[in-house]
Amino acid sequence: MKITWLGHAAFLIEGESRILIDPFISGNPMAPCKAEEIECDIICVTHGHGDHLGDAIPIAKKNSAPIIAIHEIARYAVKHGVEGIGANLGGSVELKGIRFTMVQAWHSSGIDASGFGFSGGDPAGFIISTQKVLYHAGDTCIFSDMKLIGELYKPQISFLPIGDRFTMNPEHAAKAASWIKSDIVIPMHYNTFPPVAQNPSEFKSLVESLCDSEVVICEVGKAVEV
Ligand code: NI
Ligand code: MN
């Protein structure tokens, strides 16, 4: 299975199917490619903010790929002429043999479109059960139910935001990693813009001082085999 970081919270997971998460490509200074170049089978969107919903609609159109998201964002997708598969916190949908479960995230989720925000429902994280179990936390602060997420789903790979300002900072994310206990932790949502500047090596040392998880610092556009 291959994981490619596309900058910020965007990842392309290539296994049984090609899963694209939070495709913020246009306007993302770290993006290694153009939105039109991305090929995928399924898109997951954690919440409505522009740096997550991003290019999901045009990419979904071009690839005839469904968007899995919270009910309100799935309806937004349908209104924009693409397949939207709605779910909600604690619920799962199965697509092409892969199970997608939505889990809570503590954040906000207004859709930033047409110059104003409107409700994108609640923000979420995803548990994706494919060859490995993945946990993409979305944008969130730390919360103690991350222990429960670790216990219930036993994710082998976790994607955690470390940028601070809008999400957890490295210290909180390291504490979260020690609760989730996945084999691999991948930091995200940092260094895209000055307000989320962080040193991922410091995060790596923090995590590895607290638990046995290995921190893999991805390079944008460079696939990591897991
Ligand atoms: Ni956000
Ligand atoms: Mn964000």
Side-chain angles (χ1 to χ4, degrees):
M1 206 172 89
K2 280 197 310 189
I3 295 177
T4 309
W5 190 30
L6 305 176
H8 212 55
F11 289 90
L12 181 65
I13 314 290
E14 295 170 278
E16 299 162 80
S17 284
R18 295 163 302 178
I19 304 164
L20 180 65
I21 309 172
D22 283 358
F24 166 49
I25 309 297
S26 307
N28 174 355
M30 282 177 88
C33 59
K34 292 199 167 86
E36 312 79 270
E37 293 164 357
I38 296 178
E39 291 181 1
C40 64
D41 303 301
I42 299 167
I43 301 171
C44 295
V45 174
T46 61
H47 64 292
H49 293 159
D51 60 323
H52 296 263
L53 180 57
D55 301 288
I57 301 285
I59 296 173
K61 268 190 192 150
K62 181 143 192 274
N63 290 273
S64 304
I67 294 178
I68 305 178
I70 205 105
H71 170 73
E72 288 78 2
I73 294 175
R75 279 181 51 90
Y76 176 85
V78 169
K79 284 223 162 119
H80 284 78
V82 302
E83 188 186 352
I85 300 177
N88 218 314
L89 304 181
S92 301
V93 288
E94 215 166 296
L95 214 65
K96 298 180 193 271
I98 302 167
R99 196 170 170 83
F100 299 82
T101 305
M102 301 204 78
V103 293
Q104 71 271 42
W106 284 99
H107 191 65
S108 63
S109 181
I111 296 175
D112 310 313
S114 318
F116 61 93
F118 53 98
S119 175
D122 284 337
F126 274 97
I127 299 288
I128 301 173
S129 306
T130 172
Q131 284 107 314
K132 298 219 165 164
V133 180
L134 317 175
Y135 169 39
H136 186 294
D139 277 0
T140 186
C141 62
I142 189 170
F143 53 93
S144 56
D145 276 351
M146 283 175 169
K147 282 182 201 169
L148 186 61
I149 288 174
E151 205 179 293
L152 286 178
Y153 304 105
K154 300 184 174 53
Q156 288 144 302
I157 304 172
S158 300
F159 303 82
L160 302 179
I162 66 162
D164 203 353
R165 176 91 177 244
F166 307 105
T167 66
M168 297 191 280
N169 61 24
E171 201 183 319
H172 286 183
K175 182 81 188 160
S178 76
W179 288 341
I180 298 160
K181 295 186 167 67
S182 53
D183 303 328
I184 293 174
V185 180
I186 296 177
M188 63 172 183
H189 211 276
Y190 69 93
N191 289 355
T192 326
F193 309 107
V196 295
Q198 294 295 339
N199 179 354
S201 305
E202 281 172 23
F203 171 69
K204 186 177 169 75
S205 319
L206 279 169
V207 172
E208 294 175 356
S209 70
L210 288 176
C211 61
D212 295 332
S213 302
E214 180 199 351
V215 174
V216 172
I217 299 170
C218 292
E219 250 178 75
V220 280
K222 206 168 171 196
V224 174
E225 194 77 46
V226 291

